[in-house]
């Protein structure tokens, strides 16, 4: 028996050794080859042998692998013809192919991405404040096909953001309790059986969030374009008065100034620099872009104005909330560009209004979620041990 066991162990060692491509040094094989694989291929590598499984499940390796992944904008795809109608979320690989990669099936226009962070997506129904206990609200990892349903815990709350709490290495949701305009709460995913806890927020700091303002996580802080309660009382909600900032380490709020006379603005990440873009109120075909070069002094500088329709074949549309989901500024190849959606078309223009590329997705109506997916296969304790089936929501 002992001899058979030794032969079995020797066989495993021989297989592990031969699995190393061409007997390359382990450091080169692991840190120069395996780390470059896409997440889906890296998951398959776990089944090759025990040595590979140990290597590609080590947390430090997976964190570095996550850091190498591109941050891809998420696109809403809805069928424009035929029955039944359906919708899903796709990631746009804008680096080379401009192809849409399926991420999640949403089963209806009322489900959308509410937050994203480190490869995790928070999916929720638009009418969360009126949804029953069994309404779907879930955090998921599309790369590993893991999901945790949170519907009962989040009933009566609106999700404002998803973030990693650096001191504890835990992922948390920032919530707004809907029955109170000044009640902010934090829900810890690693302790999902516990109710949300309240976060102090001074009334003079608290503002009312724009429904379409997508949270931007930058420098360890969540940022939103925001309206003060006083501005709402004066019925000046068309103008962004301030930026609300949530420090994800201290879990506290503060304000930042916004550029003057800004309308329907959104924030974006310019490779670690805070940027803002909005429609020019006097010219409905032009988007203005500002940049905060020094985050500490909080001074905004105008960067450029982009005439979106200069070379693109897209029709001009009224300046409405709907229009805000059709344009997004992003940082690509060392410069700012604008991503535009119209019907089944996606177009990208530079800051001169010149068309860089375009693609078409026939049979679908496209809009821009303004969230990004940076895939990760790092494990999280809050997910159930088993992955969902191939046809289970939201991955089926």
């Amino acid at each position: 028996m002992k001899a058979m066991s030794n032969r079995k162990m020797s066989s495993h060692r021989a297989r592990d050794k031969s699995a190393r491509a061409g007997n390359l040094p382990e450091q080169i094989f692991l840190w120069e080859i395996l780390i470059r694989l896409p997440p889906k291929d890296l998951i398959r590598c776990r089944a090759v042998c025990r040595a590979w499984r140990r290597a590609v499940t080590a947390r430090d390796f997976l964190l570095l692998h996550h850091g190498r992944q591109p941050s891809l904008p998420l696109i809403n795809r809805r069928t424009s013809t035929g029955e039944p109608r359906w919708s899903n979320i796709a990631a746009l690989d804008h680096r080379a192919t401009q192809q849409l990669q399926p991420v999640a099936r949403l089963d209806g226009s009322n489900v959308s991405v509410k937050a994203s962070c480190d490869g995790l997506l928070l999916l929720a129904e638009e009418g969360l404040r009126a949804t029953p206990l069994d309404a779907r609200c879930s955090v998921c990892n599309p790369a590993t096909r893991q999901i945790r349903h949170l519907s009962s815990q989040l009933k009566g709350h609106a999700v404002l953001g998803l973030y990693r709490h650096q001191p504890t290495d835990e992922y948390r949701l920032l919530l707004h309790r809907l029955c109170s305009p000044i009640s902010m709460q934090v829900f810890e995913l690693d302790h999902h059986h516990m109710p949300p806890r309240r976060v102090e927020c001074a009334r003079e700091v608290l503002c009312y969030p724009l429904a379409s303002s997508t949270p931007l996580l930058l420098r360890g802080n969540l940022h939103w374009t925001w309206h003060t309660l006083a501005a709402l009382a004066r019925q000046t909600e068309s103008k962004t008065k301030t930026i609300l900032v949530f420090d994800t380490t201290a879990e506290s709020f503060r304000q930042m100034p916004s550029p003057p006379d800004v309308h329907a603005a959104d924030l974006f990440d310019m490779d670690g620099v805070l940027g803002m873009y909005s429609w020019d109120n006097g010219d409905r075909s032009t988007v203005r872009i500002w940049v905060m070069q020094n985050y500490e002094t909080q001074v905004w500088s105008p960067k450029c104005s982009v005439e979106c329709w200069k070379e693109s074949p897209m029709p001009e549309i009224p300046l409405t909330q709907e229009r805000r989901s059709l344009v997004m500024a992003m940082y690509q190849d060392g410069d700012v560009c604008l991503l535009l959606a119209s019907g089944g078309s996606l177009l990208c223009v530079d800051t001169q209004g010149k068309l860089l590329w375009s693609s078409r997705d026939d049979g679908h109506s496209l809009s821009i979620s303004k969230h990004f997916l940076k895939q990760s296969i790092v494990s999280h304790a809050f997910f159930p041990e088993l992955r969902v089936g191939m046809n289970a929501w939201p991955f089926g």
Side-chain angles (χ1 to χ4, degrees):
M1 290 289 290
K2 186 175 181 179
M4 289 180 63
S5 178
N6 289 337
R7 284 198 298 270
K8 189 175 182 180
M9 291 178 63
S10 298
S11 175
H12 280 303
R13 283 195 294 266
R15 186 161 63 249
D16 290 351
K17 184 177 180 180
S18 63
R20 198 181 304 154
N23 289 324
L24 287 172
E26 183 176 350
Q27 291 300 311
I28 294 179
F29 183 58
L30 184 63
W31 301 106
E32 295 295 333
I33 298 178
L34 290 184
I35 202 167
R36 299 177 187 272
L37 294 179
K40 186 178 293 186
D41 294 335
L42 195 60
I43 290 175
R44 294 193 183 105
C45 288
R46 296 175 180 178
V48 173
C49 64
R50 291 187 302 177
W52 282 31
R53 183 176 182 82
R54 284 194 302 270
V56 302
T57 55
R59 187 170 181 83
D60 58 346
F61 174 83
L62 293 179
L63 289 172
L64 287 173
H65 178 266
H66 167 63
R68 296 178 66 100
Q69 303 309 303
S71 187
L72 304 180
L74 294 176
I75 307 298
N76 301 309
R77 300 173 72 234
R78 294 184 172 89
T79 53
S80 55
T81 59
E83 294 292 342
R85 298 288 180 92
W86 57 269
S87 63
N88 66 18
I89 286 287
L92 173 65
D93 189 349
H94 56 279
R95 296 167 298 168
T97 61
Q98 290 88 47
Q99 291 182 344
L100 292 176
Q101 306 169 356
V103 171
R105 173 173 57 87
L106 301 183
D107 275 353
S109 59
N110 63 327
V111 181
S112 63
V113 177
K114 293 298 183 183
S116 61
C117 178
D118 294 346
L120 302 174
L121 300 181
L122 194 286
L123 306 178
E125 292 186 286
E126 295 287 353
L128 188 58
R129 68 185 65 193
T131 56
L133 285 175
D134 59 351
R136 288 179 296 192
C137 180
S138 311
V139 61
C140 68
N141 184 337
T144 61
R145 300 179 64 84
Q146 292 174 299
I147 188 166
R148 165 65 66 181
H149 299 292
L150 304 169
S151 304
S152 58
Q153 296 96 321
L154 301 188
K155 181 176 172 60
H157 295 82
V159 178
L160 299 182
L162 168 63
Y163 63 95
R164 172 179 168 267
H165 184 242
Q166 192 273 334
T168 61
D169 199 28
E170 295 178 348
Y171 286 85
R172 301 176 177 181
L173 297 176
L174 180 64
L175 308 174
H176 170 217
R177 188 168 176 80
L178 296 169
C179 64
S180 171
I182 60 171
S183 180
M184 298 294 188
Q185 297 185 327
V186 166
F187 179 74
E188 301 176 4
L189 291 174
D190 284 283
H191 305 281
H192 52 83
H193 57 285
M194 301 291 290
R197 57 177 172 80
R198 186 171 179 178
V199 175
E200 292 299 323
C201 185
R203 186 175 181 86
E204 60 269 20
V205 172
L206 185 71
C207 308
Y208 187 86
L210 289 170
S212 62
S213 178
T214 304
L216 174 67
L217 184 59
L218 182 72
R219 290 173 171 257
N221 301 315
L222 285 168
H223 305 74
W224 303 263
T225 51
W226 215 258
H227 289 233
T228 63
L229 295 175
L232 290 178
R234 294 193 301 269
Q235 296 184 343
T236 58
E237 56 266 33
S238 64
K239 294 185 179 181
T240 300
K241 293 296 184 182
T242 188
I243 297 169
L244 193 67
V245 182
F246 179 72
D247 186 321
T248 63
T249 298
E251 296 187 322
S252 60
F253 289 93
R254 70 177 189 274
Q255 292 187 45
M256 293 176 68
S258 68
D261 195 28
V262 176
H263 299 259
D266 285 287
L267 302 167
F268 72 109
D269 181 0
M270 292 178 52
D271 194 27
V273 176
L274 184 62
M276 176 183 281
Y277 63 101
S278 76
W279 292 102
D280 189 312
N281 194 42
D283 183 352
R284 296 188 174 185
S285 67
T286 301
V287 171
R288 294 190 293 168
I289 298 175
W290 292 264
V291 59
M292 183 180 283
Q293 292 288 3
N294 191 316
Y295 191 82
E296 282 67 37
T297 59
Q298 302 182 5
V299 176
W300 289 95
S301 301
K303 179 175 175 61
C304 61
S305 294
V306 184
E307 189 177 342
C308 295
W309 326 117
K310 186 176 182 180
E311 294 189 17
S312 69
M314 297 172 61
E316 294 190 29
I317 54 179
L319 182 57
T320 61
Q321 284 294 108
E322 171 90 19
R323 184 173 187 171
R324 293 182 64 193
S325 68
L326 303 180
V327 177
M328 180 183 71
M330 61 182 186
Y331 195 76
Q332 177 182 329
D333 299 328
D335 203 356
V336 176
C337 60
L338 290 180
L339 182 64
L340 315 172
S342 178
S345 297
L346 287 173
L347 303 97
C348 186
V349 300
D350 64 14
T351 54
Q352 304 301 315
K354 180 181 178 181
L355 182 64
L356 299 177
W357 56 261
S358 64
S359 65
R360 183 159 185 83
D361 189 11
D362 292 324
H364 295 93
S365 176
L366 305 178
S367 62
I368 304 168
S369 77
K370 301 193 178 181
H371 293 281
F372 287 77
L373 178 65
K374 187 180 177 72
Q375 290 194 88
S376 171
I377 56 176
V378 175
S379 62
H380 299 287
F382 52 79
F383 281 130
E385 199 168 310
L386 296 177
R387 295 189 295 168
V388 300
M390 291 298 292
N391 296 317
W393 184 86
F395 305 117

